[in-house]
Amino acid sequence: MTNIAFVRKKEIPPSAPPITEVGLIGWLRQNLFSSWLNAILTVLSVYFIVIMLWDFIPWAYGGHWNTKSLRECLDLDPDVACFSVLAARWKQLLFGLYPAEEYWRPTLTFIFLLLAIVPILFPKFFRFFWFSIIYPGLAVWLLWGGSFWSISIVYIGLTFGTLLFLSLIRRYLKNYMIAAILAFLFTAVFFLFISNPLVALLNVILPISLPFVESLKMGGFTLSLIVGVTGIVASFPIGILLALGRQSNLPVIKMICVGFIEFIRGVPLITLLFVASVLLNYFLPPGTNFDIVLRVVIMVTLFSAAYMAEVIRGGLAGLPLGQHEASASLGLTYWQSQRLIIMPQALKISIPGIVNTFIGLFKDTTLVSIISLRDPVGLASTIRADQKWNGIYWELYVAIGLMFFIFCWGMSQYSQYLERKLKTDK
Amino acid sequence: MEKTKINITDEIAIHISDMNKWFGNFHVLRDINLEVRRGERIVVCGPSGSGKSTLIRCINRLEEHQKGSIIVDGTELTTDLKNIDKIRSEVGMVFQHFNLFPHLTTLENCTLAPMWVRETPEKEATEIAMEMLEKVKIPEQAHKYPGQLSGGQQQRVAIARSLCMKPRIMLFDEVTSALDPEMIKEVLDTMIQLAEEGMTMICVTHEMGFARQVADRVIFMDDGQIVEQNEPEEFFKYPQSNRTKLFLSQILGH
């Protein structure tokens, strides 16, 4: 029998790993050539990428930009791209039928959009959040035009209501319900009786207005962004409320939320868009002018809110019960605990799903071409209807695809950045 | 070690009478009668499933009782949400699995409830939080996230988080059961320190050494009933009921 007793007498110092495990060689070995199968797949993939680019690069790089029609392109060289259609029609792809002399308005709206989302995306710019708040009104005014005051009055009314609500709570009442009802009543009175004369008065004193542009003139990427961004911004809070409602202990609220979510998820978006474009008018009193873009935005929002609710519910389900118990045991109320403890964590878990839904929504905006709105895909058909460009497909769709890719890729990159930033366990 | 009993007053902190609770058809707590005086330190023990955790979770309404009454600091627990929130802000609770908020730093974990529930200004809340973190001996971890701390450190933060609300009663629900052996002591030391300061405490625990050292009373529960209660010395030396004897032999026997 051997002696099992052992005492270490000499310490082993840590040493560097073998050269084949680190650096470029290590990376290649681990990621591309870790086994025979993996090595074969690597070689095959490289082969396919090469043959695709072999055809695509000369086609795209040698493309024509200055011809007058597709015919001319084909006469010059039928084997390369005919990007002339983009050169000729790019304004339409961006702005639809928007009046050419007003192109600065959607452009400015887009620039402001980029500025408005910065405070939301990056907390260190949060002090500019006021701009994100005024942006929606500003965008509506810039895009549709009309009197500056009829948009501002909405903000004035809502500010009035909010301040009233806050001061009622602070000074007189501890009861949120009564404060909310009172504030709502006063705000309603403001909008019903005071706002119209006030707008008329302001229009006389200081007329600021832009030429009106009707919704059917909206098109191209402007329209995609209007529908997509509004849908994204509006569906997010609605989705949160639906997800909370679905978990509610109150049967009525729960039933409404479940019913809504299941109904919307069970119906194709196209159907909802048809309802928005055709059927809704039958139900409204004759002569009502319910803006088509607004109708589409509402449908898209509701559609993606239902998906959003399920994604967030997944995040809520992923939280340990202990989080609810800990916040309750500290005396936080339901809404405080949702806002400070539960939602931040549930949303963080759901980031990939949420961004997935956002990207899906943004790409689904192309479906509005079915109800003859002129988004980029709808415009592609319009452009082909022109004799000069009849028969052109690839170039248009490559360009449209590229534009969508830039936006969706941006969203995806941001979500990855956010996930890295919110990582708190290491 | 001599225990200080001078802290115990005649004031009733918790009064539970004929309290019953069911989970569905399962009668989990049966006719519980318990009176806890201010400053008293109570250890509740018993086999798993005996209802001891459920009992202390009823005290801050994490579980709802169906019969009988629970009066905490003179406020009766009913369905009235205001009473519930009031009692919860006066009663601190520490959990087996810490339940720290992983998206907040240690310091934010501690300042959150005072700022939102008590409406303490941030500066003052931070001061209180640092004081409590010093008390549990980890002020240097204030700006780390819970995920970066060891189990023992997390549990001490959880205790500090509760203390920041300046609770009058503390509930401890098997707070050392999820810890590695070498970390149990640091948490128990914190609890002993609290006990010595005169905090009213109810601890569900199997740490019998702790019970001996700090408890004024040990309660043994089985099958949803209080089977036996006594001073720790008597309880451990002369258990009366057979169930207590069996239980003690099982946990002390090895």
Side-chain angles (χ1 to χ4, degrees):
Chain A
M1 195 178 141
T2 51
N3 186 4
I4 58 166
F6 168 77
V7 178
R8 174 162 303 285
K9 296 214 173 64
K10 190 170 159 248
E11 287 293 315
I12 304 171
S15 57
I19 190 77
T20 50
E21 297 299 318
V22 289
L24 181 64
I25 299 172
W27 187 86
L28 285 175
R29 254 175 59 104
Q30 274 172 26
N31 294 290
L32 299 180
F33 302 100
S34 60
S35 68
W36 275 110
L37 183 66
N38 208 338
I40 291 169
L41 285 176
T42 301
V43 172
L44 270 180
S45 313
V46 170
Y47 171 71
F48 280 118
I49 292 171
V50 167
I51 59 168
M52 268 171 54
L53 292 180
W54 199 262
D55 283 338
F56 181 78
I57 290 176
W59 176 80
Y61 187 71
H64 302 296
W65 287 91
N66 295 317
T67 57
K68 292 278 174 289
S69 69
L70 179 62
R71 190 70 259 151
E72 230 175 286
C73 273
L74 294 176
D75 287 345
L76 277 171
D77 182 355
D79 288 334
V80 300
C82 185
F83 291 124
S84 318
V85 65
L86 302 177
R89 299 296 193 104
W90 67 273
K91 287 177 184 163
Q92 227 177 2
L93 280 175
L94 291 184
F95 304 117
L97 302 180
Y98 213 86
E101 66 278 10
E102 307 283 347
Y103 277 168
W104 64 272
R105 280 159 55 181
T107 312
L108 196 60
T109 313
F110 180 67
I111 294 170
F112 282 162
L113 170 69
L114 297 181
L115 293 178
I117 57 175
V118 165
I120 301 172
L121 299 188
F122 305 101
K124 71 174 161 184
F125 296 107
F126 193 73
R127 62 183 182 282
F128 298 114
F129 187 66
W130 55 269
F131 186 69
S132 314
I133 302 233
I134 59 169
Y135 177 75
L138 189 62
V140 167
W141 182 59
L142 278 174
L143 286 172
W144 276 271
S147 160
F148 174 73
W149 299 112
S150 44
I151 303 284
S152 314
I153 203 76
V154 176
Y155 276 86
I156 296 172
L158 291 179
T159 314
F160 165 74
T162 315
L163 289 179
L164 188 66
F165 175 68
L166 290 178
S167 62
L168 278 176
I169 287 181
R170 286 274 154 74
R171 292 215 196 113
Y172 307 108
L173 302 161
K174 268 283 173 196
N175 194 326
Y176 286 68
M177 205 62 171
I178 296 175
I181 291 170
L182 277 178
F184 179 79
L185 281 179
F186 275 102
T187 314
V189 167
F190 176 83
F191 278 116
L192 284 176
F193 303 109
I194 304 174
S195 65
N196 283 340
L198 193 60
V199 169
L201 183 68
L202 285 166
N203 276 337
V204 173
I205 299 172
L206 192 64
I208 308 177
S209 77
L210 286 170
F212 181 69
V213 180
E214 60 169 338
S215 286
L216 284 172
K217 293 267 165 71
M218 308 279 161
F221 268 99
T222 311
L223 182 65
S224 302
L225 282 171
I226 293 174
V227 177
V229 172
T230 321
I232 285 172
V233 171
S235 69
F236 189 52
I238 300 178
I240 291 179
L241 290 179
L242 282 172
L244 288 177
R246 192 166 185 161
Q247 297 211 319
S248 169
N249 293 326
L250 308 171
V252 176
I253 290 182
K254 185 174 179 161
M255 253 162 49
I256 293 173
C257 291
V258 172
F260 177 84
I261 292 169
E262 295 303 332
F263 170 73
I264 296 280
R265 287 203 307 169
V267 177
L269 178 56
I270 297 266
T271 321
L272 293 177
L273 290 177
F274 272 121
V275 169
S277 84
V278 186
L279 278 177
L280 222 52
N281 272 353
Y282 287 109
F283 295 115
L284 295 170
T288 327
N289 183 20
F290 192 9
D291 191 276
I292 178 70
V293 171
L294 183 61
R295 277 183 274 166
V296 165
V297 164
I298 290 174
M299 285 304 179
V300 169
T301 303
L302 294 183
F303 188 77
S304 101
Y307 282 86
M308 189 62 62
E310 288 299 279
V311 167
I312 294 171
R313 188 167 70 99
L316 286 171
L319 278 193
L321 193 58
Q323 293 292 311
H324 294 268
E325 292 181 346
S327 52
S329 76
L330 287 168
L332 294 170
T333 63
Y334 174 83
W335 288 109
Q336 284 174 338
S337 134
Q338 291 298 339
R339 209 194 111 193
L340 302 165
I341 308 299
I342 306 304
M343 271 305 152
Q345 295 184 65
L347 294 180
K348 182 182 143 189
I349 301 175
S350 329
I351 289 172
I354 292 173
V355 174
N356 211 9
T357 313
F358 282 169
I359 289 177
L361 180 156
F362 189 60
K363 293 190 297 186
D364 279 353
T365 58
T366 52
L367 286 174
V368 299
S369 59
I370 305 276
I371 55 168
S372 49
L373 284 180
R374 292 183 186 80
D375 83 306
V377 174
L379 278 169
S381 318
T382 315
I383 291 170
R384 266 197 308 280
D386 182 343
Q387 204 190 341
K388 281 191 288 186
W389 305 110
N390 197 345
I392 200 154
Y393 286 92
W394 283 98
E395 293 80 353
L396 279 173
Y397 287 128
V398 164
I400 294 168
L402 190 67
M403 287 295 279
F404 273 99
F405 178 79
I406 290 170
F407 283 101
C408 297
W409 189 71
M411 284 193 251
S412 146
Q413 287 302 301
Y414 176 74
S415 89
Q416 286 175 33
Y417 155 80
L418 198 62
E419 277 180 68
R420 279 195 304 275
K421 203 182 77 159
L422 294 181
K423 217 174 154 97
T424 56
D425 49 348
K426 277 288 159 298
Chain B
M1 182 182 156
E2 192 57 33
K3 274 194 305 238
T4 44
K5 286 198 179 172
I6 43 165
N7 290 316
I8 304 181
T9 60
D10 289 336
E11 192 188 343
I12 306 291
I14 302 170
H15 185 96
I16 301 175
S17 60
D18 293 327
M19 192 261 280
N20 281 270
K21 170 160 184 65
W22 289 263
F23 284 132
N25 285 325
F26 178 54
H27 198 172
V28 58
L29 291 176
R30 309 176 196 171
D31 286 342
I32 302 289
N33 286 290
L34 180 66
E35 218 174 63
V36 181
R37 283 176 297 161
R38 171 126 5 260
E40 202 174 7
R41 290 147 296 191
I42 292 180
V43 162
V44 184
C45 60
S48 89
S50 59
K52 52 195 191 304
S53 282
T54 312
L55 170 64
I56 67 167
R57 288 159 60 86
C58 280
I59 294 172
N60 67 353
R61 195 65 164 202
L62 288 183
E63 304 285 354
E64 193 179 336
H65 62 282
Q66 278 95 28
K67 244 175 87 180
S69 73
I70 302 176
I71 299 169
V72 182
D73 265 340
T75 313
E76 179 165 6
L77 273 172
T78 57
T79 46
D80 187 347
L81 286 176
K82 275 198 185 122
N83 280 356
I84 295 175
D85 285 339
K86 177 165 177 285
I87 287 172
R88 280 175 177 168
S89 62
E90 310 260 314
V91 178
M93 183 157 192
V94 186
F95 301 86
Q96 181 176 4
H97 295 290
F98 329 137
N99 297 348
L100 291 175
F101 306 130
H103 61 302
L104 301 176
T105 63
T106 300
L107 185 64
E108 287 164 343
N109 263 280
C110 294
T111 54
L112 182 109
M115 280 167 62
W116 287 88
V117 180
R118 295 246 191 274
E119 293 176 10
T120 315
E122 185 176 358
K123 190 165 164 283
E124 200 187 326
T126 308
E127 278 166 18
I128 298 172
M130 287 313 294
E131 185 189 322
M132 294 307 163
L133 287 173
E134 258 156 48
K135 180 180 255 189
V136 301
K137 303 195 174 61
I138 34 175
E140 71 282 1
Q141 312 285 5
H143 296 286
K144 286 196 184 164
Y145 287 97
Q148 299 164 319
L149 306 180
S150 76
Q153 288 172 327
Q154 289 191 47
Q155 194 60 294
R156 283 184 285 150
V157 173
I159 294 174
R161 177 177 70 177
S162 285
L163 292 178
C164 285
M165 287 293 283
K166 302 272 164 87
R168 309 185 68 188
I169 299 165
M170 287 284 286
L171 307 173
F172 293 87
D173 189 2
E174 306 209 33
V175 293
T176 54
S177 308
L179 294 176
D180 290 336
E182 75 263 32
M183 293 171 183
I184 291 178
K185 187 175 177 296
E186 63 188 55
V187 172
L188 287 182
D189 284 346
T190 312
M191 289 167 68
I192 291 168
Q193 186 190 341
L194 262 185
E196 284 166 357
E197 288 169 12
M199 175 69 78
T200 312
M201 294 164 72
I202 304 185
C203 315
V204 171
T205 181
H206 291 150
E207 297 295 332
M208 290 304 138
F210 170 79
R212 277 211 179 89
Q213 192 179 339
V214 303
D216 300 305
R217 183 165 25 143
V218 179
I219 292 176
F220 174 70
M221 286 184 72
D222 197 8
D223 284 333
Q225 302 153 70
I226 294 180
V227 174
E228 192 169 340
Q229 53 175 321
N230 211 333
E231 293 189 349
E233 289 304 315
E234 300 283 311
F235 178 84
F236 290 113
K237 267 188 201 147
Y238 314 109
Q240 303 295 310
S241 120
N242 286 335
R243 287 195 271 184
T244 316
K245 286 177 193 160
L246 178 66
F247 175 74
L248 286 179
S249 74
Q250 278 164 343
I251 64 162
L252 300 174
H254 56 90

